[in-house]
Amino acid sequence: MVVALAELDAGRTPDRATLRDAVRTLLSGLVERAPGHAVEVRVPPYGAVQCCAGPRHTRGTPANVVEMAPVVWIRLATGRMRWSEAVEQGLVQTSGNRSDISAYLPISPH
């Protein structure tokens, strides 16, 4: 995680393995912070989790989905970018009335 943040802070994109590990670590942190199955958070190609309290999704396309690129997820999860900023810039795609996960961000300190 530290390597990924150092690379991003230096204006570089971390290598695939570093991105993957950072994304998965932060997704796990989100699940711990917001347990449940009401929202599916997708960060392709590295991971997807279900989180947040509410109705459980079991089949088909989930009603509440949040999807973004790995670098965007890392920035949001570490407080380097605000949720509203990412949504306004079209960096986060959301669907469903429970898809605003801003209350759970950041997961990791700056």
Side-chain angles (χ1 to χ4, degrees):
M1 170 80 82
V2 173
V3 173
L5 294 175
E7 289 291 304
L8 290 173
D9 289 345
R12 296 184 295 266
T13 301
D15 64 67
R16 286 182 59 86
T18 301
L19 274 177
R20 179 196 65 224
D21 293 347
V23 164
R24 290 179 179 172
T25 297
L26 292 166
L27 285 173
S28 293
L30 176 62
V31 170
E32 287 177 22
R33 224 165 154 206
H37 299 279
V39 178
E40 184 165 295
V41 177
R42 300 174 181 169
V43 185
Y46 302 120
V49 296
Q50 289 187 354
C51 61
C52 302
R56 182 183 184 106
H57 165 72
T58 56
R59 296 177 57 181
T61 302
N64 302 290
V65 177
V66 177
E67 188 168 331
M68 69 204 81
V71 169
V72 174
W73 170 240
I74 293 169
R75 288 188 173 137
L76 283 170
T78 59
R80 285 166 167 75
M81 178 181 278
R82 289 187 329 260
W83 175 261
S84 59
E85 176 185 357
V87 171
E88 287 171 13
Q89 292 179 20
L91 300 174
V92 175
Q93 291 73 49
T94 62
S95 65
N97 61 355
R98 296 177 184 266
S99 62
D100 181 346
I101 60 169
S102 62
Y104 308 107
L105 301 174
I107 294 165
S108 175
H110 303 35

